[in-house]
Structure formats: C-alpha cells, structure tokens
Amino acid sequence: MQQFFKIFICAAIFVLFPFLNVASASAPYKTLIVSPSGDLIETQTAYEPLGRLFTSVDIVNPEDIFIDDKGSIYVVDSGTKKVLVANSKGDVVAEIGAGILGLPKGVFVDEQGYIYVADYEKEKVFRFSSKGELEKEYGKPDSPLFGSKSPYKPQKVAVDRRGNIYVIGEGSTNGMMQLSHEGEFLGYYGVNRTEVSVGAVLRNLIASEKQKASLFMKTPPAPDNLAIDKEGLIYSVTQGTKTEVIKKLNVAGQNMLHPYILDDANLVDITVDANGNIFVMNASGNIFEFDSYGNYLFLFGGKDDGTNRLGLFKQPSGIAVDQLGRIYVSDKETGMIQVFEPTAFSNLVHEGIALYKDGLYVQSQKYWESVLSLNSSFGLAHAAMGKAYYKQQQYDEALAEFRLAEDVWGYSDSFWEVRHAWMQKHLEKILVAGFVLIAFYYIAKFLDKKKNIFGGLRRFWGNVKKRKLLSELLFLFRFFKHPIDSFYDLQRMGKASVLSATILYVFLFVAYLIHRFQTGFIFSSYRSDETNVLFEFAIIFVPLLAFIIVNYLVSTINDGEGRFKDIYIGTIYSLAPYLVFILPLTLLSNILSGNEYFVYLFSLRIIYAWCLVILFIMIKEIHNYSISETIRNILVTLFGMAILLLVVFIIFVLMDQVYDFVYSIVKEALLRV
C-alpha cells in the first residue's frame, strides 16, 4: 500500500509539473524578514526551489524572462539570438527572431499578444505578432527632442495599455525613453536624481565658477531595468546609487515608494505579481519581496558556492512571476531557468496582504493570526492585526499589536481612543476633585491668615532650609529668576559646593535614564530591549567632562577668572531647566497622543534652549568676560573638545595595537617554551 502511494505521488508530480526536473528536498538558503526593530531575522521558508525549466532545450545566455496573463513563458537568449516561447506546462512551442535579432536583451508581451524585443546590437526594438511574424521595427527616434547625439542602445522594454513603449537603453541618463505605438518619441520618463552629499555642498561653496559648471554637468544614473503592473504603473531599478534604487512611478513620473526602501546598489531586475507585490533581484542572486506599499516581506536565494544546488545562482539576469505565484529566475552563466514555488507560509502572508491592501482588515485577521502563530516577529502581521482590532473598536488589543509592530501612528490613534474613553468615564470625578482641592486651598489660606494655623509648619521648613547641603541644592531654583546674580553668589559667596554639584550630577544621570527609557512610546526613539548603562553613562559624562576640562584650559590662557571648581559647579547648575522639568515632561509624554506631538517637541526644545542660555551666562559671569569674549571662548572650547576626543581616540587605538602586539609576543614565547 505504501509503495502504491509513493508511485501515485510521483506520477502526480510529473503530470502537474512535466517541465521540471527533480525538486530540491530543502532550500539551500535562509529566508529572512525584517523585525519591527529593523533587524534581519530568519523565518520559515517562503519559497522552495521547485526545479528547472527548458531542460530539454539548449539555452546559452538567457538575458530576460517574461510571463503573460495566459501563463506563456518567454525567454530571450542572446546566445542563440532568439526568443523561446513555452506554454504554462513548460513545453517549448515556438522560437521567435531567428535570423533577425542581433543581441536581444529584453522581452515584453502586451495584452494583445504582441511580442516586443529590445535588441542592443541592432539598436532597435522589434515587434512580433503572437505567431512570431515581424511586424514593426522601432529605431532611433529622429525627434529633435531626443537629440542627435543621444545614445539609443535598447536593453529592456515594456508597453502600457495605451500602447506606449518604454525603453531602457545604455546610458539613458535622462530616464526611460517613451515612444508611441507608432514609434514617435514622446519624451523621457522616470528620470533619476543626482545625489546631493554633504561633501558636494561643501565643494559647491568653495568651488570656482568653472568648477561649479563641471559639477553641474554631473548626470544622474540611468535606470537598469523596468516592469509594469496590471494597473499600468511603471517600476524601475537602478544600480550604483543609494536612494530610490527601487521606484514605483505614477503618471507624473514621481516615485511612490520610500527613497530608502532598500540599501542595495547592485539590483539586476524587477517584476510585479498580480497582487502588486514587488520582486527584485541583485547580482548576488538575492531575491527581495515587498508588498505594494514597499513593506519588506522576504529575502531569500543567494550566490552559487560551487555546489550547483537549486535555489542558488552564478549570474542571475531576469526574474518573473506567474499567476500561481511561482517565481522564475534566469541564470546567464549556467543557461538555466530556475523555478520557485511559494510555501504555505508565504501563501498565508499573501492572502493577508491582499485583503489588507483592500482595506478588509477584519477579514484578513485570521490569516495574520496564522502567520503570527508561525512567526511572532512578523512586524507587518502585528500592524495588520492592530488595524483589525482598531476597526472592531478593541483599542486595548490594538495598542498592544501596534506597539509590537512599532507602528507609532497606529498606536497614537488607538491611544487617543483609549484616553478618550477613560476621560469620559472619569472626567466628572476629576472636575469634582479639582474643585474640592481649590476650595480647600482657599479655605486653608483664609484660616492661616486669621489664625496662623500653618505657622509651625513654616518655622519647621525654615529650619530645614537652613541646613547647608539642602540649602545648596535648593539654590538650583534661583537660577530660573536671577541667573546672573546666582552665578555671582555661586562663585563669590559659596552658595554651592562640590558635594551638592556632585549630587546634582548623579541626579542628572538618573533623570536622563528615566527620560530615555520611560518616555511614552509615541515620542521615544529608543526601541531596543538591551540596555548598556556604561554606554549611557558615557553619552552624558564624556561631553560634560570634556567641556569642563577644555573650558578651564582655554579660560586659563584667555585670562578667565573661573577656577576648575567654579566651572564644575556652574556647569551642572546651568542645567537647572533640564533637572527640574525633564521628569514632568517624561510623565506628560505618557499621556499625550501623536496629535499633541508639537507640545512635547516644543517643550523639549525650550528646555534645551534654556539650558544653553544659562550656560552662556555661566561662562560670561564665571570668567568675567564680555559678550564677544564669551562667544570666542565657546567656539575655542568646542574646537578643543573635538581635538581632545580625537587625541583620546588615537591613544585608545594605539594602546589596543600595543596590547595586541605584546599579547602576540607572549603567546609566541609560551608556544616556543
């Protein structure tokens, strides 16, 4: 019985997939996803290598591959100078272009069945009928808008529903060439931008007019490949750039995806499936999948390590996806077409995405629940679950999901609803409690005025404030009203000590840690679960220590009157706004939504600006400088801090090298002994 069952399974495989050779038992690569924190993590296999296409036909150099709506497969082979056409079962049914094509590089089939081939050598785009008959040739446009000296070396081609032809050619830095159905030049489309770096801006500031002219002549990179979806949107990939390596272009030629969607400057090809999911491939054989919004889905594939295993490539050249979600990849060096089949895991993701994209969040929930049961770190699944809970007004559950997905604005919307419900339930009690407290305050104030009921408490507090250390700590609040007089009292009258300043430095570090790790999720930039207290300590005290030391040295040279002790104490008292208000602001960040982001950001900037103003006054008053001398002192101090940190870094590197040298000598000596 078992033997019969095995025979039945094998027969079914050959009936369903007659064009494939023996499939790989397991994928020779890892499948990766992006976690909510932005790290690449391993997940279940999304696509398994299924086999090879055209095993009975000799393919020399497959350059491009295309699959039409009927499932027919088109492979352009620059080695045999023709296009191979296979049906959905993988049987070769036609060969097109023999004796006509010179060096074909790209192929596309429109909705009417016309086959377009970009020929690099003949410098033409050929159009064939569905039967393989040559119908039209699109040579170099003679329009003055195209330019007589502009190169026309077609490499890739695509056609939209209106019959407009998009051609990518070698050196087409103006973008894709757009031709009408009759071959008339319509203009350029989807031009890339030149990257503006900090170095380029600085060079532009100091460059002569002639040098600026040469910089102006810098051309943007040319697109390298393109695809078109069922809605007529054009997609492109570009090599040799850091921004907009993948573009999804609207009618106006503007990119609809995030400019930093992928950090890969060596992309080879791009394709789009029926649901709008985007597949791109780089020269190393890595295949990236994104949804229609540019959300990262999967990364798989890789470079062949010499084992010739299915799923790895030597020189990948083209990628296509059929109606069943199978991926076809051509390898120019080996002359093979490899096929990948989606797994049950990726099918769950795609089903969920299809509903999610249409706004059917609740209907997609069951798919995302299944995805999360297999991989709880799938960020897009958590975001979709949050949307589903939000639509069902389950805001507490939506909060939890959006937080796991690190979706700040989804979390903000849910938090606003939770806060609104809480306010409706408790607002009356809060108002009553507020009126009671106000009434109690005025009654107590009236009784105290008549009968001095708080006289004893005032005398007790007065005695407490007379204690030296507490008085020095409370002296901090005087800097808000009288900063100039306060620094005079600090330096001349000894209103603060090294001990009180040290206590405030400790409190500064504690307040910084609370602010860093307890700021509300909406406003916090810290997402890691790992905490390095030593690193956080260095962030605060290395700049402060460098400032105190360098400012003292600079002021000593420039006739400053401040002692090291004065600068040490004055610096921490200058941070009075931060010490007093950062904890209340941290608490406030936990009750504000994203709509009140301005309140938080403005308050934080006021605190920092206030600290800088008091610090400026401290340098001026402690050293008895004029305003111009103070500004010069600050600039020299900042420069000295940079030099000091550079020297410390060099010493650290040298000590590390000396340590390695001594360690290697000792180790060698021990081995010889």
Side-chain angles (χ1 to χ4, degrees):
M1 186 66 182
Q2 291 181 346
Q3 187 69 19
F4 173 77
F5 182 73
K6 292 180 180 179
I7 295 174
F8 175 77
I9 293 296
C10 292
I13 291 175
F14 281 107
V15 170
L16 293 175
F17 308 108
F19 58 92
L20 300 176
N21 66 350
V22 180
S24 173
S26 62
Y29 48 76
K30 295 180 180 179
T31 299
L32 305 177
I33 61 172
V34 175
S35 69
S37 60
D39 300 319
L40 285 174
I41 58 174
E42 188 174 356
T43 188
Q44 289 83 353
T45 300
Y47 293 88
E48 293 180 340
L50 188 60
R52 298 171 182 169
L53 187 66
F54 297 157
T55 54
S56 60
V57 179
D58 290 333
I59 302 178
V60 182
N61 296 121
E63 297 279 356
D64 197 12
I65 184 169
F66 184 85
I67 302 175
D68 64 15
D69 294 337
K70 299 177 182 178
S72 298
I73 305 165
Y74 301 80
V75 177
V76 59
D77 185 0
S78 61
T80 59
K81 303 180 190 256
K82 55 189 177 183
V83 178
L84 299 177
V85 185
N87 58 24
S88 58
K89 296 181 180 180
D91 300 323
V92 177
V93 296
E95 295 181 359
I96 297 174
I100 300 175
L101 301 175
L103 187 61
K105 291 276 192 176
V107 62
F108 186 89
V109 181
D110 66 11
E111 294 180 347
Q112 287 72 39
Y114 292 115
I115 305 166
Y116 295 79
V117 181
D119 196 309
Y120 181 85
E121 182 181 297
K122 296 292 183 68
E123 298 186 357
K124 293 179 180 179
V125 173
F126 295 97
R127 188 180 78 194
F128 297 91
S129 68
S130 57
K131 297 181 180 180
E133 300 170 348
L134 179 62
E135 291 196 343
K136 191 173 180 60
E137 301 176 8
Y138 299 91
K140 183 177 181 178
D142 56 4
S143 170
L145 296 176
F146 182 79
S148 58
K149 295 183 179 180
S150 299
Y152 186 72
K153 306 286 285 186
Q155 293 178 308
K156 305 297 175 184
V157 61
V159 182
D160 63 17
R161 291 179 176 178
R162 298 171 296 174
N164 293 330
I165 306 168
Y166 299 84
V167 181
I168 287 182
E170 183 181 64
S172 56
T173 57
N174 292 321
M176 308 174 200
M177 295 167 276
Q178 189 176 9
L179 310 176
S180 70
H181 185 69
E182 300 301 324
E184 179 185 357
F185 180 68
L186 301 178
Y188 291 100
Y189 180 79
V191 61
N192 290 314
R193 303 176 184 177
T194 54
E195 295 182 7
V196 181
S197 62
V198 177
V201 174
L202 294 176
R203 286 195 302 270
N204 190 48
L205 291 175
I206 63 176
S208 63
E209 293 299 325
K210 185 176 181 180
Q211 291 171 330
K212 287 181 180 180
S214 64
L215 292 174
F216 180 76
M217 295 300 291
K218 182 180 179 181
T219 57
D224 291 279
N225 218 321
L226 78 162
I228 187 168
D229 64 13
K230 63 180 183 180
E231 297 178 354
L233 296 175
I234 304 293
Y235 301 73
S236 70
V237 291
T238 304
Q239 295 183 8
T241 182
K242 295 181 180 179
T243 60
E244 296 187 323
V245 293
I246 305 173
K247 297 170 72 173
K248 179 180 180 180
L249 303 168
N250 58 17
V251 177
Q254 297 174 337
N255 184 22
M256 302 165 63
L257 299 177
H258 193 280
Y260 297 97
I261 183 175
L262 183 63
D263 184 17
D264 194 313
N266 203 20
L267 299 179
V268 174
D269 197 7
I270 183 171
T271 190
V272 186
D273 69 8
N275 293 319
N277 298 315
I278 307 166
F279 298 81
V280 295
M281 178 178 61
N282 65 14
S284 298
N286 295 313
I287 300 173
F288 305 85
E289 182 182 358
F290 302 86
D291 70 4
S292 58
Y293 298 108
N295 296 311
Y296 204 117
L297 296 182
F298 302 112
L299 164 61
F300 61 97
K303 196 76 172 178
D304 190 350
D305 55 2
T307 58
N308 294 321
R309 297 184 64 184
L310 288 175
L312 303 177
F313 311 97
K314 290 187 176 180
Q315 191 181 354
S317 55
I319 185 171
V321 182
D322 66 13
Q323 297 295 321
L324 299 177
R326 290 193 294 253
I327 300 174
Y328 299 73
V329 179
S330 59
D331 193 320
K332 186 175 180 180
E333 182 172 334
T334 61
M336 294 191 306
I337 310 295
Q338 296 195 42
V339 186
F340 297 80
E341 185 176 42
T343 62
F345 177 68
S346 63
N347 284 332
L348 285 173
V349 173
H350 292 149
E351 290 287 348
I353 287 174
L355 295 170
Y356 181 80
K357 185 178 69 171
D358 294 335
L360 304 175
Y361 306 121
V362 178
Q363 291 87 330
S364 71
Q365 185 174 355
K366 62 180 181 179
Y367 295 102
W368 297 121
E369 287 175 345
S370 299
V371 170
L372 290 174
S373 67
L374 296 171
N375 189 332
S376 60
S377 298
F378 208 108
L380 182 60
H382 284 296
M385 288 288 292
K387 287 279 189 181
Y389 284 128
Y390 185 85
K391 288 292 183 181
Q392 299 172 76
Q393 299 184 0
Q394 297 176 347
Y395 301 119
D396 290 322
E397 291 81 357
L399 271 179
E401 292 295 337
F402 283 129
R403 182 155 193 155
L404 290 172
E406 298 194 5
D407 185 342
V408 172
W409 292 109
Y411 182 92
S412 174
D413 293 338
S414 301
F415 180 77
W416 191 93
E417 296 290 349
V418 171
R419 189 183 67 179
H420 180 69
W422 188 90
M423 290 293 291
Q424 284 185 323
K425 184 177 180 181
H426 298 94
L427 183 60
E428 183 179 353
K429 298 177 183 177
I430 293 173
L431 291 176
V432 171
F435 283 124
V436 169
L437 290 174
I438 293 172
F440 178 78
Y441 170 78
Y442 281 106
I443 292 172
K445 186 177 181 180
F446 175 78
L447 293 175
D448 183 57
K449 186 177 181 181
K450 293 293 185 181
K451 298 185 178 181
N452 194 27
I453 60 176
F454 295 116
L457 184 60
R458 279 193 294 272
R459 286 191 297 272
F460 172 77
W461 177 242
N463 293 329
V464 170
K465 287 199 301 182
K466 290 180 181 179
R467 297 188 177 184
K468 189 175 188 304
L469 180 59
L470 184 59
S471 174
E472 292 173 348
L473 293 174
L474 293 175
F475 183 67
L476 180 78
F477 293 92
R478 194 166 184 268
F479 285 82
F480 293 109
K481 289 186 177 181
H482 309 288
I484 297 177
D485 295 339
S486 298
F487 283 116
Y488 176 84
D489 293 339
L490 184 147
Q491 185 180 23
R492 302 291 194 272
M493 308 299 293
K495 291 290 186 177
S497 65
V498 174
L499 176 60
S500 63
T502 303
I503 293 174
L504 291 177
Y505 276 113
V506 173
F507 180 77
L508 170 69
F509 182 60
V510 174
Y512 166 78
L513 291 179
I514 294 174
H515 173 67
R516 182 155 176 79
F517 300 115
Q518 297 302 320
T519 296
F521 175 77
I522 298 172
F523 307 100
S524 176
S525 59
Y526 187 81
R527 295 284 187 265
S528 177
D529 295 330
E530 299 180 1
T531 303
N532 189 332
V533 178
L534 185 61
F535 177 75
E536 303 297 339
F537 183 87
I539 288 178
I540 289 293
F541 290 111
V542 168
L544 282 175
L545 183 61
F547 170 79
I548 294 169
I549 294 174
V550 175
N551 186 262
Y552 171 71
L553 296 175
V554 171
S555 303
T556 302
I557 298 173
N558 294 327
D559 299 326
E561 297 180 5
R563 300 168 296 175
F564 185 85
K565 171 186 173 182
D566 297 330
I567 301 173
Y568 175 80
I569 299 173
T571 300
I572 189 60
Y573 277 89
S574 300
L575 303 180
Y578 186 92
L579 295 171
V580 173
F581 294 113
I582 198 63
L583 294 183
L585 184 61
T586 301
L587 178 63
L588 184 65
S589 70
N590 286 277
I591 60 176
L592 294 177
S593 70
N595 296 325
E596 295 96 26
Y597 185 80
F598 170 77
V599 176
Y600 174 82
L601 186 61
F602 181 74
S603 301
L604 193 62
R605 288 176 176 175
I606 287 293
I607 290 174
Y608 289 148
W610 201 349
C611 289
L612 291 175
V613 170
I614 298 178
L615 189 65
F616 181 89
I617 295 173
M618 185 272 290
I619 296 173
K620 180 180 180 298
E621 295 301 320
I622 288 291
H623 299 299
N624 195 21
Y625 282 152
S626 64
I627 292 178
S628 60
E629 289 173 334
T630 304
I631 294 174
R632 184 170 64 249
N633 178 274
I634 292 173
L635 294 177
V636 176
T637 298
L638 294 175
F639 178 76
M641 289 172 62
I643 296 298
L644 177 63
L645 293 177
L646 179 62
V647 170
V648 170
F649 175 75
I650 293 174
I651 292 174
F652 175 79
V653 172
L654 291 176
M655 289 180 63
D656 185 63
Q657 292 179 348
V658 170
Y659 171 79
D660 290 339
F661 176 71
V662 173
Y663 177 77
S664 61
I665 291 177
V666 173
K667 188 175 180 181
E668 181 70 19
L670 291 175
L671 289 174
R672 291 181 179 276
V673 171

